[in-house]
Amino acid sequence: MTASVSPKARQDPTPAQAEADQRRRRRKLIALLVLAAGLLILILLFGWYLLFRQPINPLPVIPVSQVPKYSTAIYGVKRPVGIAVSASGDRIYVTQTGQQVEGMIFDGSGKPAGTLPWPDTKEHQSSYLAVDPKSGDVYVSDRPAGAIYVYNRDGTYQRQFLLTPSRPGWQPIGLAFDADGLLYVSDFSGPTQKALVVDRDGKVLRVMAESDNLNFPNGIAVDSAGVTYVADSNNGRLLYFGKDGALLGQMGRGSGTATLGVPRGITVDNAGRVVTVDTTGGVVSVFGTYRTGVKTLSPLGSFGQLGSSDGMFAFPNGIATDTRGRIYIADTFNDRIQVWTY
C-alpha cells in the first residue's frame, strides 16, 4: 500500500527575509509620520491665518539704511487707539478705548499736557484724530455718535464739525488732512462704505471707493501729490486713489506683491513713504511713494513683532509721524505709545 504524501509544511522566513520585511515596515511608518506631520503643519498655518488674519509671508525686513529704530515709549494711556502729532512733535494727541474715556495730550518729551474732554455728558467713544495744518486744531472722530469734534492745540473744545448739507447716520472714523487743509474721512455709513474729501466749510467735494466693496475701512492718509490711501481693514487691503477719486491700485490680500493681515492706522512720513499698521500681525509695513503708471507700491519691508518688550507690539492700531523723522504708534494692548526714529 502506497503512503499518502502530506502538503509541504510552510517554511519560516530566513533572518535576511525577516530583516528586509522590518525595513520595509519602518520605511512605510516613517513615510506615514512625515505625511501626517506635513498635514498637521498645514492645518496649523491655515488655522492661525483664519484666527488672526496674519500674513503667512510677511514683508522682508527693511534695509538698515531705511529702517526706523525703536527710541522710547510713552505710558499713562489705557488701550490707546488713535494718535495724531503736531508737525514739530511738541504735541502728541491720543484717543483711548471705551465709552466716555477722554483723549490724552502729551508734550514732545512724553509728559502729560492735558486732555480732550467731551463736549457734553452724552455717551461718546472716540476713534481717530488729525491735526489741521492750517490752524493747529485737533479733530476727533466719534463713530457711534456720528460726529467729529474740534479742539484747539491745548485741548479746549471748540465746536462740532458739521457736513453741509448734513448726512444723517454717517459714521466717521479715520481722519487726515492734506496740505491745503481739506479733511479726508473714512465713513462706515450707508449701503456702501466709502471715503470722503471735505472742505473747511463741511462741503463734501469728493466721494471715493463706493464701488470697491470696502469692509471696515479705518486709517486714511494723503501724500503731497494728493494721492489718498485707505486701509481697508477686514479685506486686508491698502487702496489708493487719485485726485479725481479714481482707484489707482491696491496692495494686500489677493493683489500686489505684499500681504497684509488687518491694516488699521496709516500715515505718510516726511520722506513720502506710506506706513501702515498691521494690528493682528503686530508689525508696521512700509511702502514706497505711489508713482504714476505703477499700480503696485514698492514694499520696502516691515519692522516690529508680536510681544511686550521694547520694539514689540500687541494689537497696535493708530500711527502718526512728525517732520523730524519720528513715527508714533498706538501699541494698544501694551497700553503705551511707541516712538521710532529714522
Side-chain angles (χ1 to χ4, degrees), residues 53 55 59 80-83 128 218-220 230-234 236-238 259-268 274-287 301-304 306 313-321 327-332 338 340:
R53 309 190 78 165
L59 293 174
V81 179
I83 185 165
Y128 287 85
N218 271 246
I220 188 168
V230 178
D232 185 15
S233 295
N234 284 8
R237 300 183 299 172
L238 168 61
T259 55
L260 299 170
V262 179
R264 289 285 179 86
I266 186 170
T267 189
V268 179
V274 181
V275 190
T276 185
V277 173
D278 181 353
T279 189
T280 55
V283 296
V284 179
S285 300
V286 185
F287 300 90
S302 60
F303 61 90
L306 286 169
F313 303 106
F315 291 92
N317 202 86
I319 187 169
T321 58
I327 301 175
Y328 304 79
I329 301 153
D331 188 7
T332 305
Q338 288 198 37
W340 291 63

Side-chain angles (χ1 to χ4, degrees), residues 21-325:
D21 289 341
Q22 286 183 338
R23 285 199 299 268
R24 281 193 294 270
R25 285 194 293 270
R26 282 198 297 267
R27 284 196 295 267
K28 288 181 180 180
L29 180 60
I30 291 171
L32 287 173
L33 289 174
V34 170
L35 181 61
L39 183 60
L40 179 61
I41 290 172
L42 287 175
I43 291 172
L44 289 174
L45 285 173
F46 185 65
W48 175 266
Y49 179 74
L50 288 180
L51 284 172
F52 300 105
R53 309 190 78 165
Q54 178 181 348
I56 294 174
N57 297 312
L59 293 174
V61 174
I62 304 173
V64 173
S65 61
Q66 298 184 53
V67 66
K69 300 182 183 302
Y70 172 80
S71 176
T72 187
I74 300 170
Y75 290 88
V77 292
K78 183 67 175 177
R79 297 293 190 262
V81 179
I83 185 165
V85 183
S86 63
S88 66
D90 69 333
R91 284 289 186 273
I92 304 164
Y93 305 94
V94 182
T95 56
Q96 304 174 95
T97 304
Q99 290 187 349
Q100 302 304 100
V101 180
E102 294 181 339
M104 298 286 293
I105 305 174
F106 298 89
D107 65 17
S109 65
K111 295 179 180 178
T115 63
L116 299 167
W118 293 114
D120 51 48
T121 58
K122 297 178 182 178
E123 289 189 356
H124 298 282
Q125 185 171 334
S126 55
S127 299
Y128 287 85
L129 316 92
V131 176
D132 184 341
K134 298 290 187 180
S135 66
D137 287 342
V138 183
Y139 286 56
V140 179
S141 64
D142 181 0
R143 181 176 68 88
I148 296 174
Y149 305 111
V150 184
Y151 301 80
N152 69 12
R153 65 173 265 115
D154 296 318
T156 301
Y157 176 73
Q158 304 293 301
R159 60 190 172 88
Q160 182 175 339
F161 181 77
L162 300 173
L163 297 183
T164 54
S166 63
R167 289 193 173 208
W170 83 309
Q171 299 181 50
I173 182 165
L175 303 176
F177 281 96
D178 66 15
D180 296 325
L182 296 180
L183 179 63
Y184 294 68
V185 184
S186 58
D187 179 15
F188 283 7
S189 65
T192 56
Q193 299 172 11
K194 60 190 112 14
L196 309 176
V197 183
V198 188
D199 70 13
R200 302 183 72 80
D201 296 322
K203 180 181 178 182
V204 177
L205 303 178
R206 190 160 61 252
V207 179
M208 296 175 286
E210 280 192 297
S211 60
D212 294 301
N213 300 313
L214 297 183
N215 187 2
F216 208 69
N218 271 246
I220 188 168
V222 57
D223 66 20
S224 59
V227 177
T228 304
Y229 304 87
V230 178
D232 185 15
S233 295
N234 284 8
N235 284 327
R237 300 183 299 172
L238 168 61
L239 280 66
Y240 32 104
F241 303 85
K243 283 187 173 182
D244 59 355
L247 179 66
L248 297 174
Q250 58 183 297
M251 301 291 294
R253 202 174 301 145
S255 61
T257 58
T259 55
L260 299 170
V262 179
R264 289 285 179 86
I266 186 170
T267 189
V268 179
D269 69 17
N270 57 317
R273 292 169 290 221
V274 181
V275 190
T276 185
V277 173
D278 181 353
T279 189
T280 55
V283 296
V284 179
S285 300
V286 185
F287 300 90
T289 307
Y290 171 79
R291 291 175 295 149
T292 303
V294 180
K295 288 189 175 182
T296 57
L297 303 180
S298 173
L300 301 178
S302 60
F303 61 90
Q305 58 181 303
L306 286 169
S308 58
S309 301
D310 290 348
M312 294 180 164
F313 303 106
F315 291 92
N317 202 86
I319 187 169
T321 58
D322 62 21
T323 56
R324 295 189 289 181

